[in-house]
Amino acid sequence: VADHPTMGLLLPAATILLVAIEEGVSFQVGVAPRQSPRLERRRRQKMAMAASGTAEQYRDLYEKVEWQRQRQEKSRKRYQIIAAPATERMARAIEALSPERFHFHETSWEKFPDGTDKIVVGGFQPRNLISGEHVLFLASFHSNDVTLSQFQVIVMLLQSFIASLTIVLPFYPTGTMERVINEGEVATAATYAQLFSSLPNCGRPTRLIVYDLHTLQNRFYLHGNCIASLHSTIPVLLPELHRAGISTVAFPDDGSQKRFRSLFPPDFDFITCGKVRDGDDRVVTLQDGDPSGRRVVIVDDLVQTGGTLFECGAALKRLGASSICAFVAHAVFPQDAWRRFLRGADRDVFDVFYVTNSIPTTTDRLPTDDVFKVLDVTPQVLADLDLF
């Protein structure tokens, strides 16, 4: 029976029927006795309605089975991992979480005496384990020097006859520099997009996984050989909020509210803040919501010096919030600006300051016994990897 040419059609149908039985769906076929024209019309209308409902149930069940099949296939896909120095810890964590699917190859990132790159990518010697494989490259563009080095490795991989390349770049560093106001300024977001779009083609577009991109329109700067795959770190935060008993989310501005509100459960309460000018100063005001007596977390995509977050937190505390926490996906903190948020510093306003390890060169230096709590995005990367 298994070799019969129709089994390719019968087996999916049988699977759907089994699911239908589990779901309690009944499929009835019969012949009604001859009736008057009026009763016959009613009978046909009822049959048509029942058939329509049954068809919808059948389609829903079929899509559930198909979704499960696709998820199973994607979860079996194997990857060879190449990582930048800053993301090697994540690479080893991914390999440890699922060693049957992921294999990390350590790369030598050295320099010649003149300062140029001397890079030897792992996985090619003594046996070539990279060609013909799906490759996962974990990137970190925390400086111009390391960015160029990693682009050189990405080009080399794409020219090595691999099956596909997926780049995980948790923080897209030039996302805030996407426009030109004064002639002569360089929109570096467009430059990065041009570099990605000009990558060699290995037979399919390179997938670029980015988290909480600051300006969402940047995804459309990419074209041709590289496609942006945008995701969020909010799923990493939600369990922390549940454990802390926090169900009120504040946004420092309307843009943040539009970006993140839909990612939270509907039973959450929301507060929106904004800035208004008071002479030469900007003052944070409450635009919507009531923080009085509530445990509040302020959510934004990234933090630089943190002035806006601090002013928002101080304003919510003055308005009666019982506790104030903060969350940002990307802890940029240039020139160690995080020090001002430590206990006893001049911006000590938060009970807990949640950040992710999307910029490990920063979060690796944060004290573990103070206000900051670093959330690991590695499990979320694994989950999002199998979506496409």
Side-chain angles (χ1 to χ4, degrees):
V1 175
D3 294 332
H4 194 278
T6 62
M7 285 307 294
L9 298 175
L10 293 177
L11 287 177
T15 304
I16 292 170
L17 287 174
L18 287 174
V19 175
I21 292 170
E22 292 178 359
E23 302 261 343
V25 178
S26 61
F27 298 87
Q28 298 181 358
V29 179
V31 179
R34 190 172 185 83
Q35 299 176 0
S36 67
R38 184 177 180 183
L39 293 175
E40 180 69 13
R41 284 196 299 272
R42 288 183 179 178
R43 185 185 69 82
R44 290 181 180 276
Q45 289 174 352
K46 289 180 180 179
M47 289 183 63
M49 293 175 63
S52 175
T54 300
E56 290 177 1
Q57 290 174 314
Y58 179 89
R59 178 179 293 276
D60 181 61
L61 290 169
Y62 177 85
E63 290 179 353
K64 286 181 180 178
V65 172
E66 181 66 12
W67 170 250
Q68 293 171 358
R69 181 191 66 79
Q70 292 182 13
R71 292 287 289 177
Q72 289 174 355
E73 287 186 1
K74 292 171 183 175
S75 67
R76 290 193 292 265
K77 190 174 181 180
R78 292 176 53 82
Y79 289 91
Q80 307 298 323
I81 303 179
I82 306 296
T87 56
E88 284 189 1
R89 186 185 305 172
M90 178 184 289
R92 298 185 190 279
I94 291 175
E95 184 181 46
L97 286 171
S98 187
E100 71 283 357
R101 293 187 59 198
F102 299 94
H103 185 57
F104 169 56
H105 305 275
E106 189 170 357
T107 295
S108 173
W109 302 82
E110 297 182 0
K111 298 283 187 182
F112 286 107
D114 62 359
T116 56
D117 285 320
K118 181 184 179 183
I119 304 171
V120 180
V121 179
F124 287 90
Q125 295 292 338
R127 291 168 293 276
N128 189 340
L129 302 177
I130 304 298
S131 297
E133 295 290 301
H134 300 289
V135 178
L136 179 65
F137 184 82
L138 305 181
S140 177
F141 289 0
H142 55 272
S143 74
N144 287 341
D145 180 38
V146 301
T147 297
L148 180 58
S149 299
Q150 290 170 64
F151 264 113
Q152 296 192 94
V153 171
I154 290 169
V155 171
M156 175 265 193
L157 290 170
L158 288 166
Q159 294 175 337
S160 299
F161 304 103
I162 60 176
S164 72
L165 178 64
T166 301
I167 302 172
V168 177
L169 180 62
F171 174 54
Y172 195 86
T174 60
T176 58
M177 193 59 192
E178 86 291 354
R179 70 190 71 181
V180 171
I181 298 175
N182 300 310
E183 286 301 320
E185 294 178 339
V186 178
T188 51
T191 307
Y192 272 44
Q194 185 74 26
L195 291 172
F196 277 119
S197 300
S198 301
L199 290 173
N201 192 317
C202 67
R204 63 178 67 187
T206 295
R207 179 186 177 192
L208 176 64
I209 296 179
V210 179
Y211 285 87
D212 296 312
L213 185 62
H214 182 72
T215 46
L216 296 177
Q217 65 268 27
N218 279 344
R219 68 182 299 180
F220 302 112
Y221 293 5
L222 299 171
H223 57 83
N225 294 338
C226 188
I227 306 292
S229 180
L230 302 188
H231 304 275
S232 180
T233 58
I234 295 300
V236 179
L237 172 67
L238 290 176
E240 295 291 330
L241 299 185
H242 178 72
R243 283 189 286 268
I246 299 173
S247 60
T248 301
V249 178
F251 304 108
D253 52 52
D254 190 55
S256 180
Q257 184 268 143
K258 291 178 180 177
R259 170 196 293 268
F260 291 114
R261 180 164 181 163
S262 63
L263 301 178
F264 289 91
D267 58 340
F268 270 55
D269 295 313
F270 300 98
I271 297 169
T272 305
C273 300
K275 281 187 174 182
V276 296
R277 284 196 174 276
D278 182 11
D280 294 333
D281 299 326
R282 283 191 172 185
V283 180
V284 172
T285 61
L286 190 66
Q287 295 183 347
D288 187 37
D290 180 12
S292 179
R294 298 178 182 272
R295 298 172 62 84
V296 182
V297 59
I298 304 171
V299 173
D300 210 351
D301 59 335
L302 60 83
V303 58
Q304 296 272 359
T305 62
T308 299
L309 279 177
F310 166 71
E311 292 173 12
C312 186
L316 293 174
K317 183 164 285 191
R318 288 194 302 270
L319 293 170
S322 61
S323 71
I324 302 291
C325 297
F327 169 78
V328 294
H330 310 300
V332 183
F333 285 132
Q335 299 177 344
D336 289 344
W338 53 267
R339 294 185 181 278
R340 300 184 67 181
F341 291 91
L342 297 178
R343 304 295 185 207
D346 63 323
R347 289 182 174 174
D348 177 13
V349 70
F350 298 120
D351 296 288
V352 182
F353 199 137
Y354 300 101
V355 300
T356 78
N357 58 345
S358 66
I359 310 177
T361 51
T362 297
T363 54
D364 285 350
R365 294 186 293 111
L366 296 179
T368 58
D369 58 350
D370 208 279
V371 67
F372 291 101
K373 184 169 185 178
V374 180
L375 308 181
D376 187 12
V377 298
T378 304
Q380 190 62 40
V381 170
L382 282 178
D384 294 332
L385 185 64
D386 291 338
L387 289 178
F388 300 100

